[in-house]
Amino acid sequence: METTVTNTGTEGKTWGGGNQPLKASYGKMMMWFFILSDALTFSGFLAAYGFSRFKFIDSWPIADEVFNHFPFLHGVDAPMYYVALMTFILIFSSVTMVLAVDAGHQMKQKKVILYMFLTIIGGAIFVGSQAWEWKNFIKGEYGAVETKGGQILQFVDKDGHRVALHDIAVVDNHKERLQHESKLGVWYDKEGTLPAYTVDEIRAGFSKRSDLLIRTQILTEKGEKTILSREESLRRLNTDAVGIVEGANLVHNEYGTPLFANFFFFITGFHGFHVLSGVVINIIIFFNVILGTYERRKNYEMVEKVGLYWHFVDLVWVFVFTFFYLV
């Protein structure tokens, strides 16, 4: 009995296995698969951020007012300057990584060492800068008052400049402040760190300074926060204020809705973890280059693979930077 073989015309045109699919090595293919899956993860996070911001578009914090610090320049209003510097450093590190990969293709070990060292330094500076940015965001600068409905009331002078709580409060040194303990509460929740001032101390100081006003987190048509009249400010403070907010965390946020802080910590923290991981991997590859590992292999493909990851991390930051700081 003879077996009939039908020719389809596609013989020799499909990949039949091996270690060179699409003319890429197995390692490169796996790195591209990882980058694709990670890109989808970041896309989901940023899409969720976009939907949430659209929902609270009339009360979302203004980035220029939140990220306006610069190292060693205390009290100087520098909106987005340091974030822009961080972004430049990270992008420049991507350039040095390109030069390292190119030097690897030319089998120039000393140049690979130099450019990878610059890449590592740039990544370390970025991670350190992001930690510094987190510290300022968590600590806060001015403080605010929270209302019964969770709204944030900030203090400004008649020129619209922010005024810190320590410039307002009239401290009552004779009144003892007790921290709430879990055994005393209905829901057995322990109170966190006591704020520096009480609502009553802020009320007392605010009533004595006629030059102060309150602005809410609600934005006007011009994209600026609504500033209340003196009478309305006194009324809101006396009837609605229930707590003091200093800085930002996952529950309270002196800059506006806590949802902004939640997304900031999660997305920038997730990206920061990627950068930190990239720095660690780069250091490992860097020492391998010094030891001549890739010279003996006659190729620097490992440098190229870690370079793909580094460029992806830089590209993701461009989107994070755009979503959080620019839009």
Side-chain angles (χ1 to χ4, degrees), residues 267-280:
I267 295 179
T268 62
F270 192 59
H271 177 266
F273 174 75
H274 279 69
V275 178
L276 179 61
S277 300
V279 171
V280 173

Side-chain angles (χ1 to χ4, degrees), residues 294-324:
Y294 309 122
E295 284 289 321
R296 291 190 293 272
R297 293 182 184 176
K298 304 300 182 182
N299 72 80
Y300 281 83
E301 186 177 294
M302 282 300 298
V303 176
E304 188 173 354
K305 285 188 283 189
V306 76
L308 289 173
Y309 174 80
W310 195 254
H311 296 322
F312 167 72
V313 168
D314 289 5
L315 180 62
V316 168
W317 176 252
V318 172
F319 286 97
V320 174
F321 175 74
T322 302
F323 271 65
F324 269 102

Side-chain angles (χ1 to χ4, degrees), residues 10-218:
T10 62
E11 290 75 17
K13 295 183 180 180
T14 58
W15 177 54
N19 65 349
Q20 293 289 322
L22 303 179
K23 295 184 179 180
S25 67
Y26 177 81
K28 283 185 185 178
M29 284 292 291
M30 293 304 103
M31 179 58 74
W32 278 114
F33 286 155
F34 168 77
I35 288 174
L36 179 61
S37 63
D38 219 25
L40 294 174
T41 303
F42 273 106
S43 298
F45 292 158
L46 292 176
Y49 173 86
F51 282 121
S52 298
R53 176 168 181 172
F54 181 77
K55 181 178 180 180
F56 299 99
I57 194 170
D58 60 341
S59 59
W60 205 251
I62 301 173
D64 285 352
E65 296 181 354
V66 178
F67 309 105
N68 62 345
H69 305 89
F70 205 93
F72 311 112
L73 296 178
H74 181 70
V76 176
D77 187 28
M80 312 297 288
Y81 291 1
Y82 194 57
V83 179
L85 178 61
M86 289 167 50
T87 303
F88 172 79
I89 291 172
L90 190 63
I91 292 176
F92 185 76
S93 73
S94 194
V95 174
T96 57
M97 178 56 80
V98 169
L99 296 174
V101 172
D102 182 65
H105 288 161
Q106 300 177 44
M107 300 298 293
K108 295 181 179 179
Q109 183 184 15
K110 291 184 178 179
K111 284 191 174 182
V112 176
I113 292 173
L114 171 62
Y115 292 130
M116 285 212 67
F117 176 75
L118 294 176
T119 302
I120 292 168
I121 294 299
I125 292 174
F126 179 85
V127 172
S129 299
Q130 200 167 49
W132 183 85
E133 194 74 41
W134 269 45
K135 178 185 73 68
N136 285 282
F137 186 67
I138 294 171
K139 181 181 178 182
E141 184 175 3
Y142 296 100
V145 169
E146 191 172 22
T147 68
K148 301 174 184 176
Q151 297 289 311
I152 295 298
L153 303 179
Q154 300 171 338
F155 299 96
V156 296
D157 58 22
K158 291 186 176 179
D159 295 324
H161 299 136
R162 289 286 303 276
V163 179
L165 295 181
H166 61 76
D167 293 327
I168 301 173
V170 176
V171 180
D172 186 357
N173 294 319
H174 301 289
K175 185 176 181 180
E176 183 180 2
R177 298 177 62 192
L178 298 176
Q179 189 168 11
H180 176 71
E181 298 180 0
S182 58
K183 64 181 180 181
L184 302 176
V186 175
W187 298 107
Y188 300 95
D189 280 338
K190 182 178 180 180
E191 184 179 29
T193 304
L194 284 174
Y197 310 102
T198 66
V199 175
D200 289 336
E201 290 171 344
I202 299 301
R203 285 172 179 153
F206 186 83
S207 62
K208 291 182 178 181
R209 290 190 54 177
S210 59
D211 62 318
L212 296 181
L213 300 172
I214 282 179
R215 72 174 189 178
T216 69
Q217 64 186 56
I218 304 301

